[in-house]
Amino acid sequence: MSLQGVKLHLVESMEDVFALHEWLGYRREHHALAFDTETTGLIVGRDRVRLAQVGDGVHGWAIPYETWSGLFADIVRRWDGHWIAHNAKFDVGMLDHMGIKMPRPFVRDTRIMTHCLTPHYSTALKNVAARLVDAQAASLQTELKNTEWTWATVPIDYGPYWSYAALDTVLTYRVYEILWPKVQEECPDAFEIENTVSWIIERMERYGAHINLAYAQEKLGAFARYVEESAAWVRATYGISAGANASVIRVLQEAGYEFDKQTASGALALDKEVLGAIDHPLAQTVLQRRQLQKLASTYLGHFTTELDADHLIHPSINVLGARTSRMSMERPNLQNLPRKSDRQPAAETVRNCITARPGNVMMMCDFDQVEMRMLASMANEQSMIRAFKGDIDFFVALARMVYGDESIIKSDVRRQVVKNAGYATIYGAGVEKFSKTAGIPIEQGRAVRARWDELFPDVLRFQRQVQSVAVQRRMNEGIPYVRCPVTQRMQVADAGKEYVLVNFLIQGAAAAVFKKKLIELDNAGLGEWMVVPVHDEIILDVPREEASYVADVLKQTMNDDTMFQVPLSASVSWGDSWGSKEEWK
DNA sequence: GTCGCTTGCCAC
DNA sequence: AAACGTGGCAAGCGAC
């Protein structure tokens, strides 16, 4: 298939409008129409639509939005088939902001299709089209190179601009024709989940997270002051910059400290582990300064500068951010806000900044050990499944088995060791890494691991099975992959690293379960109050009078003993801010 | 000035 | 035989 014969149009006159309508009339007997937008930038809610395009496998039409917005709205109103777009959430969000409601249940995303079918390939439209439609697609312009123009200023009638924009709908449509049958055959559930979740996520992005601005500003000021003053002190005292690791190391070496830990590229490392072990005012100041700088720059800075008139921030969420099908988030990433810890008490201020809107309460619901449950279920490991069904804490139960000591309780250090062993299994860590994480001598680590394998033989069998299936497929089909038991979606490893597939399967299954639950929660009416998804946790900002209904739905939905051989369990907490820890009973 | 690399660090 | 996974983001620094 090539791109010869493609016809691209820019709507400039009434004749063009008639021609477009004529084409649409002919299209009506088909079931789908591709669409796309060109915008002034990439931020939904800030940037605006400049061009709206529609097309099929042959024709692509670019409609200047300002001049002909009524035309595009009219097409949307009258088209009763499906809509196809690549990364549809972006265009639907942009159009929503311009006052055009795309019929979301009828919108299908080709980017989701490629991610479901071939998660190991680039999902960028140009690359997908080059692979599936025409190799030349890859070399088509994607940037405004060698011009003074930006996406906001390039003239609408500049040929390369509008024609490539129109072409994108042609490419999208052809990709759709190729991928849709494959999706139906291979992994219809995976597509349905991702596509449905994309609209739930779009709504979260629009709803936004509410910031206590005064509090955030006050804390940011205090942290920034410390960062500044400590840097001044370091410069005055040692004549170096507090942020320049090489200089800090040099001063500490002159003071008699020795360094041996190395970075990936072989330089001397100066990370928090190294600094924490050095009892010297410079080391302690650099460490403290780094921590507060992190809080100020990475978190509080965004909170105080990127909020709208209602004190809301609107992060961008990528529904298929990770190769495992986990979501990711940016501007800012609210999935990695620091948790309160003994080591860093100041960290709790960050979650305290995310507060309920006036009259609302924050509600947080997270799965308990969902990845361990996926492991137990996929491996069909009865000892673990029994432990999950029992009344005592899962890791206490395991620790009692591993150490053969029924007196072990939750605070016993051996529980943490066994917990580390569990996550080492999930991540594919070796004995060395596991021992280091658990903080035990390597011989002890080896013994725990051996005992673990003895107690949970089906886990070991599962690990070996996954790996050998993937290696087999690499030899036979060229791709080392296994399929998610929940969605049938592929998980693909880099060749020679097939062991990671155990992790991908577990992480991917947990992500799929979480997404299915998001759909259930949305169906129960909670979608309008969801703020942030955090892998196995959902954060909501709920009107006070709805709180008890929401808590009921959360508990009903997230506690589930029908999906797997192990029950899924979840707990609900609530309060004024995300940092609140009070359990909802 | 911008860009890309390195280093470090936050979460699940 | 052995192999800790997935992300986003900021600061420093050299290269252009």
Side-chain angles (χ1 to χ4, degrees), chain A residues 438-543:
Chain A
I440 56 177
I442 194 157
E443 304 77 43
Q444 257 185 58
R446 216 185 303 280
V448 170
R449 176 57 73 85
R451 179 77 181 129
W452 174 278
D453 289 341
E454 195 175 280
L455 280 166
F456 311 118
D458 286 325
V459 168
L460 192 58
R461 230 190 309 277
F462 168 69
Q463 293 175 278
R464 289 181 175 151
Q465 175 73 9
V466 166
Q467 196 165 332
S468 78
V469 165
V471 169
Q472 205 67 45
R473 285 184 174 149
R474 168 155 61 86
M475 311 227 254
N476 296 336
E477 304 172 48
I479 303 167
Y481 73 95
V482 287
R483 285 192 185 276
C484 172
V486 182
T487 64
Q488 300 309 305
R489 179 186 169 285
M490 276 171 114
Q491 298 287 0
V492 182
D494 297 333
K497 275 192 76 176
E498 284 79 8
Y499 75 93
V500 298
L501 287 170
V502 170
N503 175 261
F504 287 9
L505 271 182
I506 290 167
Q507 196 180 106
V513 169
F514 181 63
K515 286 177 176 181
K516 289 179 95 152
K517 289 303 180 186
L518 284 184
I519 294 171
E520 285 186 43
L521 295 174
D522 183 55
N523 287 339
L526 270 52
E528 62 177 306
W529 300 310
M530 293 182 188
V531 180
V532 186
V534 197
H535 307 309
D536 61 358
E537 179 181 12
I538 182 69
I539 313 300
L540 307 99
D541 181 351
V542 181

Side-chain angles (χ1 to χ4, degrees), chain A residues 114-398:
Chain A
T114 65
H115 202 291
C116 287
L117 289 167
T118 47
H120 50 303
Y121 288 138
S122 163
T123 62
L125 177 61
K126 295 282 185 290
N127 297 333
V128 175
R131 189 159 49 81
L132 300 175
V133 180
D134 186 324
Q136 285 194 320
S139 56
L140 298 176
Q141 150 179 329
T142 52
E143 290 164 39
L144 292 168
K145 282 199 181 120
N146 307 320
T147 77
E148 297 291 306
W149 294 317
T150 68
W151 294 115
T153 61
V154 56
I156 297 272
D157 60 0
Y158 175 58
Y161 176 62
W162 72 260
S163 60
Y164 288 123
L167 181 63
D168 277 351
T169 60
V170 175
L171 297 177
T172 299
Y173 193 88
R174 292 210 187 169
V175 165
Y176 167 68
E177 287 181 308
I178 294 165
L179 294 187
W180 183 245
K182 289 188 182 170
V183 164
Q184 292 312 297
E185 185 190 319
E186 225 177 275
C187 51
D189 291 352
F191 175 79
E192 195 55 36
I193 290 169
E194 304 298 345
N195 209 61
T196 305
V197 164
S198 75
W199 309 128
I200 300 172
I201 293 298
E202 186 225 345
R203 194 171 187 180
M204 288 192 217
E205 292 175 327
R206 222 163 345 115
Y207 189 50
H210 182 259
I211 303 294
N212 182 341
L213 179 58
Y215 177 79
Q217 278 173 333
E218 179 201 327
K219 294 296 181 184
L220 175 59
F223 294 169
R225 218 170 303 125
Y226 178 86
V227 169
E228 213 172 290
E229 285 167 4
S230 58
W233 178 81
V234 167
R235 177 155 302 283
T237 314
Y238 303 100
I240 59 167
S241 161
N245 289 358
S247 308
V248 174
I249 288 174
R250 192 165 15 86
V251 170
L252 290 170
Q253 279 173 330
E254 282 161 12
Y257 293 93
E258 289 181 8
F259 294 80
D260 45 23
K261 185 175 179 182
Q262 294 188 341
T263 67
S265 66
L268 289 178
L270 191 72
D271 59 21
K272 62 179 177 182
E273 188 201 353
V274 173
L275 284 168
I278 299 176
D279 186 19
H280 183 283
L282 175 59
Q284 294 311 303
T285 304
V286 167
L287 186 55
Q288 178 70 13
R289 180 174 176 277
R290 261 192 206 169
Q291 291 181 345
L292 294 184
Q293 186 171 48
K294 174 89 179 170
L295 299 183
S297 307
T298 305
Y299 305 109
L300 302 187
H302 286 282
F303 295 173
T304 52
T305 57
E306 288 172 23
L307 69 193
D308 64 17
D310 297 319
H311 293 188
L312 301 170
I313 53 172
H314 301 272
S316 169
I317 302 171
N318 188 346
V319 173
L320 286 166
R323 57 201 291 184
T324 55
S325 83
R326 262 198 189 180
M327 292 185 260
S328 68
M329 187 181 292
E330 60 182 3
R331 280 181 298 104
N333 181 7
L334 297 183
Q335 291 180 318
N336 70 347
L337 303 189
R339 302 180 63 100
K340 185 183 178 178
S341 73
D342 300 338
R343 190 180 48 76
Q344 217 198 143
E348 70 172 313
T349 58
V350 177
R351 286 180 192 233
N352 289 344
C353 288
I354 314 276
T355 51
R357 290 157 168 77
N360 282 20
V361 291
M362 297 300 287
M363 305 195 77
M364 288 70 67
C365 178
D366 67 312
F367 279 130
D368 305 322
Q369 312 101 11
V370 67
E371 293 196 339
M372 289 306 302
R373 288 169 202 258
M374 294 299 104
L375 174 66
S377 179
M378 275 187 258
N380 193 19
E381 175 51 70
Q382 292 301 320
S383 318
M384 280 189 185
I385 293 172
R386 244 177 281 123
F388 274 123
K389 287 181 174 167
D391 289 329
I392 53 171
D393 174 86
F394 174 71
F395 288 115
V396 168
L398 260 55

Side-chain angles (χ1 to χ4, degrees), chain A residues 81-109:
Chain A
H82 280 94
W83 288 95
I84 316 301
H86 199 78
N87 197 16
K89 176 165 72 64
F90 173 78
D91 302 285
V92 167
M94 276 290 176
L95 288 166
D96 198 274
H97 192 60
M98 306 298 285
I100 295 192
K101 300 269 177 222
M102 296 300 291
R104 288 157 180 74
F106 293 91
V107 179
R108 292 171 175 161
D109 186 343

